[in-house]
Amino acid sequence: MEHALSPATLSELRRPRPYPAVSVLTPTHRREPENAQDPVRLRNVVAEAKKQLEADPAVPRERRIDVVRQLDQALTEIDLAHAEDGLAIFAAPGEHQVWSLARAVPERVVLSDTFLTRNLVSAQASERPFWVLSVSADRATLWNGGVDRVVEHRAGGFPLTRTRVNFDAERLERIGDMPSTFRDEDTRHFFRDVDAALAKLLREEPRQLYVTGETGALSALDDVGSVMKEAVHVPHGGLTHGTPDTVWQAIAPVVAAEARRSTDAVTRELESARGRRAFAAGVDEIWQSAREGRVRLLAVEENYRVTVRDEGGDHLVPAESGDLDAREDIVDEIVEQCLETGADVRFVPDGTLGGADGIAGVLRY
């Protein structure tokens, strides 16, 4: 199952397909007893997708058989023992993908000529992805971070290593035999390579960056490159060969502190916008502003969900889940629209926005 949504991957997912491109979404659960319902619910929603394919006269028999086969193959790849809060299955002639999402999704089946991506985009934004670089004198390891985990990122040249005979930089640092390790030219050259590789990745996938390592390593990397200028420094050595769990344990308190600072900054900016009459709140007002590209900063409480219907294209009004014209993932639509128009989207803890009904924004004009 896929987790990390890069800009290149999103662009590929949005590419038009031969009809039908099938999107199947279903909520899942991380823990008992709620997760007991997940296997049945998953089978039922995939059965509904097959039923819609069968009933659609625009789908030729050969193409229907192909897409049904893709859905069946996708089912075999799903491991509900490691489920998060939602699943998205995409199937089209000759291809399929399964995405695990750290954000709840409404149950739905959509047949179109593109895959339904807004729930993926919103889930990615809510997870607040970040990079962790762990660096020593002879190795640099990169970690892909999310809400409650990190996984090693093995692409873009990472991990980078430097081979020297009988050389164990981290051991020598610990016992004090190498006071100038990070100042010799070979090490500085290695750090320049690390900086260049990471700078390229950040241009392609910009995120918050945390850098772990001995104090001397952090200082030396800062001296030779550019990536450290905006990074959060975490003086903690020994993680270049660490496990995901040890890296997460070291970085989690720092990530939590940064999240609190970010939330405080968002609330201050929203209060300032009230005084300038550049403030919007509530799903209807934000939806209209988002469609006009006016939202500069969008704040959404983490578990905010609302079901609405579009009243004549002018306003959203409350609706019941399951209503024929209900829009159950309107918040995800707004998030995707705001990101498309260059807004800064921040998910904040429940209750942060007070009387703003779970969603608020700072307007450009």
Side-chain angles (χ1 to χ4, degrees):
M1 296 189 291
E2 304 287 343
H3 293 273
L5 183 68
S6 70
T9 301
L10 179 59
S11 178
E12 169 60 20
L13 284 173
R14 286 174 167 168
R15 174 178 58 81
R17 263 79 177 172
Y19 186 86
V22 181
S23 301
V24 178
L25 277 71
T26 185
T28 53
H29 303 83
R30 297 172 185 252
R31 298 176 182 87
E32 297 178 341
E34 292 85 0
N35 62 6
Q37 64 184 284
D38 291 348
V40 173
R41 194 164 187 171
L42 177 59
R43 287 196 300 270
N44 287 345
V45 73
V46 171
E48 173 60 26
K50 294 178 180 179
K51 181 180 177 181
Q52 291 190 26
L53 285 167
E54 181 74 33
D56 192 335
V59 182
R61 179 177 180 276
E62 296 79 7
R63 193 170 292 178
R64 183 184 72 249
I65 292 171
D66 185 354
V67 175
V68 167
R69 184 185 306 115
Q70 299 297 330
L71 288 169
D72 287 338
Q73 290 177 1
L75 277 177
T76 67
E77 298 171 9
I78 295 172
D79 181 5
L80 289 175
H82 296 93
E84 296 180 281
D85 302 305
L87 275 177
I89 301 173
F90 299 136
E95 63 173 319
H96 67 272
Q97 293 188 35
V98 178
W99 287 81
S100 178
L101 309 179
R103 181 168 167 82
V105 297
E107 185 172 288
R108 68 190 312 175
V109 174
V110 177
L111 275 61
S112 183
D113 58 357
T114 58
F115 293 137
L116 185 69
T117 60
R118 60 175 172 257
N119 305 99
L120 268 69
V121 171
S122 183
Q124 179 83 347
S126 70
E127 197 168 34
R128 297 184 293 273
F130 56 87
W131 297 115
V132 181
L133 175 71
S134 298
V135 64
S136 67
D138 63 338
R139 184 177 174 88
T141 308
L142 190 65
W143 307 87
N144 185 349
V147 169
D148 57 3
R149 66 177 183 271
V150 297
V151 294
E152 188 173 354
H153 181 82
R154 288 183 167 268
F158 289 97
L160 277 74
T161 58
R162 167 185 171 213
T163 303
R164 285 175 61 176
V165 178
N166 298 324
F167 179 68
D168 184 346
E170 290 190 354
R171 183 185 67 81
L172 293 173
E173 290 155 23
R174 288 196 300 271
I175 65 177
D177 284 357
M178 193 172 285
S180 61
T181 297
F182 301 113
R183 294 195 295 272
D184 72 65
E185 191 53 40
D186 286 346
T187 303
R188 291 173 68 83
H189 180 78
F190 173 65
F191 281 177
R192 289 189 191 98
D193 290 342
V194 173
D195 181 85
L198 190 54
K200 181 177 185 297
L201 179 68
L202 289 172
R203 286 193 295 271
E204 297 169 353
E205 294 186 56
R207 300 180 186 178
Q208 174 68 65
L209 172 65
Y210 299 87
V211 183
T212 77
E214 300 288 341
T215 302
L218 300 181
S219 177
L221 186 58
D222 195 15
D223 286 345
V224 302
S226 61
V227 297
M228 293 289 282
K229 309 305 179 189
E230 301 296 327
V232 178
H233 300 198
V234 184
H236 191 304
L239 297 178
T240 56
H241 290 280
T243 65
D245 185 61
T246 57
V247 174
W248 175 248
Q249 293 302 319
I251 202 73
V254 185
V255 172
E258 286 297 310
R260 288 192 294 271
R261 279 192 282 271
S262 175
T263 298
D264 291 343
V266 168
T267 56
R268 288 194 300 270
E269 193 158 357
L270 290 170
E271 284 303 314
S272 175
R274 287 180 187 271
R276 304 193 312 273
R277 296 188 177 182
F279 177 82
V283 67
D284 183 45
E285 187 177 0
I286 290 291
W287 176 66
Q288 294 185 57
S289 298
R291 290 194 303 166
E292 296 166 0
R294 296 176 59 206
V295 180
R296 181 177 65 78
L297 168 67
L298 178 71
V300 184
E301 292 186 352
E302 289 168 347
N303 293 300
Y304 177 61
R305 289 284 180 182
V306 61
T307 301
V308 298
R309 69 173 186 272
D310 185 351
E311 194 173 66
D314 296 323
H315 293 283
L316 300 177
V317 297
E320 294 295 324
S321 179
D323 285 356
L324 184 62
D325 55 353
R327 299 169 73 168
E328 297 189 40
D329 52 358
I330 189 65
V331 175
D332 288 358
E333 286 189 49
I334 291 171
V335 168
E336 184 178 50
Q337 180 63 40
C338 286
L339 288 169
E340 286 293 303
T341 55
D344 183 10
V345 175
R346 307 284 189 91
F347 283 80
V348 297
D350 294 348
T352 298
L353 301 180
D357 294 328
I359 190 166
V362 178
L363 304 181
R364 293 188 170 101
Y365 57 91

